[in-house]
């Protein structure tokens, strides 16, 4: 793994099947000599490969709870979707207390930032014609950077709820509590690899306000034990649950809160890709706001969660029911502005020179015609087109295709046998 | 402005009337090819929108046809051919009024949503030849500035 991504491969477990290759939405994976390889420049950290690997060879590198010991003042940020991991008889305040018992000095809800961002976005929608695409899901932002650079201008130019809350909590600990910057460690309990990646590789920011990310599935058991054994009468003074913000954890939560017409909520990376295709070709003039989330149905579907995504969605719906008000807070407590624009991250053309690129394109089409067109992925590329592209780029051979290989072997065998039969009779006699 | 020795076709595909499930496939494929050629994303977007309009025109309103893309020196042409029904009054079909009044445009055998007028907004040059009962050929050119 590099700083760029958090999905990595356990080489002992990888059997060299091509399930992940075929499910990757950006064609970022190839199998070579029995091992999957992820191309860094194309991976958007969606986690589809983790989902599709039956051998559990794809792993996600996150931090352990022990890392909080590196900081004098560790702060934890709880994702909205995290509440979906518990049944509704467990009051959110218990989860907050349990985090404190695990060693965190402060517990912050990302949902609080989600509520603030909702209000900010509602203002922005009034002043802008749209279309506007939510920039809260890092995978969606990376997907647009890679495959839809022409849509980058539509991304809402704001920090994500995680970064908003991280910045607020961190600056407050420094200013109001007098900690030095290096003494404050902000940790996010992450449902997905994409948000893990933003710790080292944030989007639109010079540096991330989050210092570490702990996977939900790494902390869940410890937390559950504490929550289950907790005295029900315990209370926690300053805590107010941001119920509305928590609804961001499931599909529609974000868009519904905007209470604006012409919003759409699309979840699941392949659905997101197809809606972006439509937007790209100018086919959706009447939709103004796009809530797009890589996981289905929303962040509750993140691969690092423990509960079935739809059960988690159900839990959140039950939890937030009957709560109709935002937490009182000032938008001035947050710094929404990004440090820099979202920039394209497109794959290089076949050649920088147009004429040479044209020539290579012809070569590519010819190569595609040579291949059988079965898209079986046995060669390690997701389909014949992609293999052809790899061949043109010098990254693969035509004989990586098992059908071509078999055909060439058959030809070779024919040649050999005809060669054998053409031996002079005298040698044949001696051989007997 | 026909094809010449310097022009190269990078796509040529049949489009079936009423085949909504394939709608958009050609414009997606063309987008991918143009990206491989290093075309800027602004131009790609324009071309994708034009191609999609033309593609849907054939699917919704014609009796089937084909769509091609040609790279020429300094420009890219998208050529849509269909086998009818043809447009009665081409000039009329260009009028902005018809851009949104899709019903009337449809009656003339045109207009997936925004139709000819929309294509004209994105293309640097547009040629339409049509004969009622025979078919229509549209060539939309985009300059590679
Ligand atoms: S995380 Fe997503 S984009 Fe990255 S390799 Fe896996 S499937 Fe492909």
């Amino acid at each position: 793994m590099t700083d760029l991504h958090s999905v990595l491969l356990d080489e002992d477990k990888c059997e060299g099947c091509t399930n992940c290759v075929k499910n990757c939405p950006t064609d970022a994976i190839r199998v070579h000599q029995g091992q999957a390889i992820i191309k860094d420049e194309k991976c958007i950290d969606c986690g589809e490969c983790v989902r599709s690997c039956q051998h559990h060879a794809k792993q996600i590198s996150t931090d352990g709870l022990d890392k909080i010991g590196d900081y004098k003042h560790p702060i934890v940020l709880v994702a909205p979707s995290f509440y979906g991991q518990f049944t509704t008889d467990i009051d959110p305040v218990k989860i907050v207390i349990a985090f404190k018992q695990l060693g965190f000095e402060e517990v912050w809800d990302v949902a609080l930032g989600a509520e603030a961002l909702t209000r900010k976005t509602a203002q922005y929608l009034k002043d802008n014609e749209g279309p506007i695409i939510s920039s809260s899901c890092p995978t969606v932002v990376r997907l647009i950077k890679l495959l839809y650079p022409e849509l980058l201008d539509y991304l809402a130019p704001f920090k994500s709820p995680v970064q908003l809350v991280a910045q607020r909590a961190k600056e407050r600990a420094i200013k109001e509590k007098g900690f030095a910057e290096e003494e404050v460690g902000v940790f996010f309990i992450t449902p997905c690899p994409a948000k893990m990646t933003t710790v080292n590789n944030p989007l639109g920011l010079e540096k991330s306000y989050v210092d570490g990310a702990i996977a939900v599935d790494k902390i869940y058991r410890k937390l559950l034990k504490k929550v289950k054994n907790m005295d029900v009468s315990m209370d926690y003074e300053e805590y107010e649950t941001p119920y509305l913000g928590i609804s961001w954890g499931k599909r529609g939560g974000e868009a519904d809160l905007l209470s604006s017409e012409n919003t759409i909520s699309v979840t699941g990376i392949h659905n997101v890709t197809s809606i972006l295709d439509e937007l790209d070709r100018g086919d959706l003039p009447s939709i103004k706001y796009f809530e797009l989330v890589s996981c289905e149905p929303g962040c509750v579907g993140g691969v690092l969660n423990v509960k079935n995504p739809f059960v988690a969605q159900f839990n959140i719906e039950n939890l937030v029911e009957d709560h109709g008000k935002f937490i009182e807070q000032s938008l001035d407590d947050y710094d929404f502005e990004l440090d820099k624009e979202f920039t394209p991250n497109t794959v290089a053309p076949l050649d920088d020179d147009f004429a040479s690129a044209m020539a290579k394109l012809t070569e590519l089409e010819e190569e595609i015609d040579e291949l059988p067109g079965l898209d079986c992925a046995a060669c390690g590329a997701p389909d014949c087109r992609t293999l052809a592209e790899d061949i043109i780029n010098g990254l693969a051979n035509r004989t990586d295709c098992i059908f071509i290989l078999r055909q060439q072997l058959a030809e070779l065998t024919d040649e050999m046998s005809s060669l054998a039969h053409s031996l002079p009779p005298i040698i044949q006699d001696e051989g007997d | 402005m026909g094809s010449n020795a310097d022009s190269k076709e990078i796509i040529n595909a049949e489009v079936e009337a009423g085949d909504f499930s394939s709608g958009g496939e050609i414009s997606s494929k063309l987008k991918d090819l143009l990206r491989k050629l290093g075309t800027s994303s602004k131009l790609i977007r324009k071309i994708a929108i034009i191609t999609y309009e033309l593609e849907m025109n054939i699917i919704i309103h014609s009796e089937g046809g084909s769509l091609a893309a040609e790279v020429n020196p300094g420009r890219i042409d998208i050529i849509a051919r269909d086998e009818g029904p043809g447009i009665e009054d081409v000039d009329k079909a260009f009028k902005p009024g018809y851009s949104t009044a899709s019903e009337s445009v449809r009656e003339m055998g045109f207009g997936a949503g925004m139709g000819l007028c929309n294509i004209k907004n994105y293309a640097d040059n547009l040629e339409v030849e049509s004969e009622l009962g025979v078919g229509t050929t549209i060539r939309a050119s985009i300059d590679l500035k």
Side-chain angles (χ1 to χ4, degrees):
Chain A
M1 191 202 60
T2 59
D3 268 4
L4 291 175
H5 298 290
S6 45
V7 176
L8 65 141
L9 187 81
D10 181 337
E11 295 187 354
D12 292 336
K13 286 188 178 167
C14 179
E15 299 278 350
C17 79
T18 50
N19 285 338
C20 59
V21 174
K22 294 201 114 178
N23 277 296
C24 172
T26 61
D27 294 340
I29 315 178
R30 301 288 185 279
V31 169
H32 268 301
Q33 291 167 342
Q35 289 278 302
I37 299 159
I38 299 176
K39 298 186 174 213
D40 267 350
E41 70 280 11
K42 283 187 143 190
C43 175
I44 55 170
D45 297 283
C46 65
E48 285 301 309
C49 54
V50 182
R51 272 189 197 101
S52 61
C53 182
Q54 277 139 20
H55 312 287
H56 305 288
K58 291 278 189 340
Q59 302 189 338
I60 293 155
S61 126
T62 55
D63 298 311
L65 192 55
D66 53 323
K67 200 184 160 192
I68 75 171
D70 296 353
Y71 298 90
K72 200 165 165 194
H73 192 71
I75 296 173
V76 67
L77 309 186
V78 185
S81 56
F82 192 68
Y83 292 101
Q85 311 304 304
F86 301 89
T87 44
T88 36
D89 55 305
I90 294 177
D91 190 302
V93 74
K94 286 191 178 178
I95 296 168
V96 174
I97 297 168
F99 272 116
K100 287 218 155 188
Q101 292 175 347
L102 285 178
F104 291 99
E105 297 291 336
E106 294 182 44
V107 184
W108 286 77
D109 270 308
V110 170
L112 213 54
E115 291 193 357
L117 184 57
T118 298
R119 289 164 53 197
K120 181 79 181 173
T121 306
Q123 287 173 3
Y124 185 73
L125 278 177
K126 280 201 192 108
D127 307 330
N128 281 277
E129 234 176 65
I132 294 154
I133 304 172
S134 165
S135 51
S136 290
C137 173
T139 289
V140 170
V141 175
R142 288 184 207 285
L143 176 70
I144 293 175
K145 282 162 72 77
L146 182 74
L147 295 180
Y148 304 91
E150 54 282 0
L151 302 180
L152 279 171
D153 289 345
Y154 295 159
L155 282 169
F158 304 125
K159 286 181 188 132
S160 67
V162 179
Q163 294 290 351
L164 284 172
V165 176
Q167 183 180 13
R168 181 178 169 196
K170 193 172 228 174
E171 288 176 355
R172 186 169 163 270
I174 296 168
K175 275 190 210 126
E176 291 175 24
K177 302 197 170 179
F179 288 102
E181 191 174 344
E182 62 278 7
E183 290 175 329
V184 184
V186 177
F187 290 84
F188 175 58
I189 306 302
T190 187
C192 64
K195 289 185 177 123
M196 174 67 216
T197 299
T198 57
V199 172
N200 293 319
N201 192 8
L203 294 156
L205 296 177
E206 293 300 344
K207 73 171 189 25
S208 167
Y209 294 94
V210 182
D211 301 291
I214 300 170
V216 169
D217 60 5
K218 277 200 189 153
I219 206 164
Y220 186 71
R221 265 171 52 136
K222 293 188 188 106
L223 205 82
L224 193 65
K225 234 191 243 157
K226 298 223 179 287
V227 167
K228 287 254 147 102
N229 298 330
M230 202 173 285
D231 177 1
V232 261
S233 64
M234 251 175 111
D235 210 3
Y236 188 55
E237 352 69 64
E238 329 147 24
Y239 183 71
E240 245 186 304
T241 309
Y243 287 104
L244 291 187
I246 288 176
S247 66
W248 269 55
K250 57 158 189 79
R251 173 172 57 218
E254 181 184 344
D256 290 350
L257 285 184
L258 286 171
S259 31
S260 149
E261 283 164 17
N262 308 329
T263 64
I264 194 171
S265 304
V266 180
T267 56
I269 191 69
H270 296 286
N271 298 328
V272 167
T273 312
S274 73
I275 205 84
L276 287 175
D277 278 337
E278 288 197 34
L279 178 62
D280 206 16
R281 59 199 183 209
D283 205 25
L284 302 169
S286 54
I287 300 174
K288 188 163 174 187
Y289 188 81
F290 292 78
E291 170 194 330
L292 305 181
V293 183
S294 168
C295 297
E296 170 98 291
C299 296
V300 284
V303 274
L304 296 175
N305 282 328
V306 293
K307 279 271 145 66
N308 172 299
F310 294 91
V311 173
Q313 179 186 37
F314 169 87
N315 289 341
I316 287 191
E317 278 165 358
N318 274 345
L319 182 69
V320 305
E321 212 181 27
D322 307 327
H323 294 277
K325 264 215 207 116
F326 286 126
I327 297 276
E328 257 177 62
Q329 57 177 343
S330 162
L331 292 190
D332 296 337
D333 287 338
Y334 297 92
D335 172 14
F336 295 95
E337 299 311 307
L338 295 167
D339 300 336
K340 50 186 184 192
E341 282 179 11
F342 296 118
T343 47
N345 184 27
T346 40
V347 176
L350 290 172
D351 201 295
D352 288 335
D353 172 60
F354 186 79
S356 316
M358 266 313 276
K360 276 200 175 172
L361 193 65
T362 312
E363 241 180 273
L364 176 63
E365 295 298 329
E366 283 164 9
E367 193 62 51
I368 290 169
D369 287 343
E370 291 293 324
L371 299 174
L374 296 170
D375 295 339
C376 68
C379 59
D383 47 44
C384 300
R385 271 197 89 79
T386 315
L387 177 67
E389 227 177 294
D390 287 352
I391 295 172
I392 294 300
N393 288 323
L395 301 169
N397 294 311
R398 198 182 287 170
T399 46
D400 288 345
C401 169
I402 53 164
F403 297 95
I404 302 256
L405 183 68
R406 201 159 68 177
Q407 192 188 334
Q408 291 197 356
L409 279 177
E411 283 165 16
L412 203 65
T413 317
D414 283 351
E415 239 174 81
M416 275 164 54
S417 90
S418 74
L419 209 64
H421 288 111
S422 70
L423 288 179
I426 181 132
I427 295 185
Q428 276 180 5
D429 286 348
E430 273 179 13
D432 282 343
Chain B
M1 190 163 43
S3 320
N4 58 44
D6 287 334
S7 99
K8 185 173 180 323
E9 198 172 74
I10 53 174
I11 269 192
N12 191 343
E14 299 276 311
V15 183
E16 250 181 75
D19 184 12
F20 287 92
S21 65
S22 313
E25 266 175 23
I26 300 176
S27 68
S28 291
K29 187 170 175 219
L30 182 58
K31 214 169 73 178
D32 176 55
L33 293 179
L34 292 172
R35 204 163 277 149
K36 289 195 165 73
L37 292 175
T39 317
S40 80
S41 49
K42 274 215 175 72
L43 278 179
I44 292 183
R45 178 110 208 267
K46 266 195 195 180
I47 296 170
I49 291 174
I50 293 171
T51 312
Y52 180 65
E53 286 283 343
L54 291 171
E55 196 177 348
M56 290 312 284
N57 271 336
I58 301 177
I59 292 175
I60 300 176
H61 301 292
S62 82
E63 279 145 39
S66 68
L67 204 58
E70 250 175 43
V71 177
N72 289 298
R75 59 165 223 275
I76 285 181
D77 291 354
I78 315 295
I79 305 112
R81 298 184 183 86
D82 71 47
E83 287 144 23
I87 310 172
E88 197 179 336
D89 184 343
V90 172
D91 287 341
K92 231 178 169 180
F94 271 116
K95 294 246 167 71
Y98 288 97
S99 61
T100 45
S102 55
E103 261 320 302
S104 4
V105 181
R106 269 170 208 191
E107 274 160 26
M108 292 185 299
F110 253 107
M114 290 172 284
L116 264 188
C117 187
N118 192 41
I119 297 174
K120 205 180 174 191
N121 286 341
Y122 287 100
D124 294 300
N125 189 54
L126 189 62
E127 287 170 11
V128 182
E129 275 169 40
S130 189
E131 198 179 321
L132 213 59
V134 177
T136 305
T137 300
I138 302 179
R139 178 181 290 262
S141 308
I142 301 93
D143 296 338
L144 293 172
K145 283 162 281 200

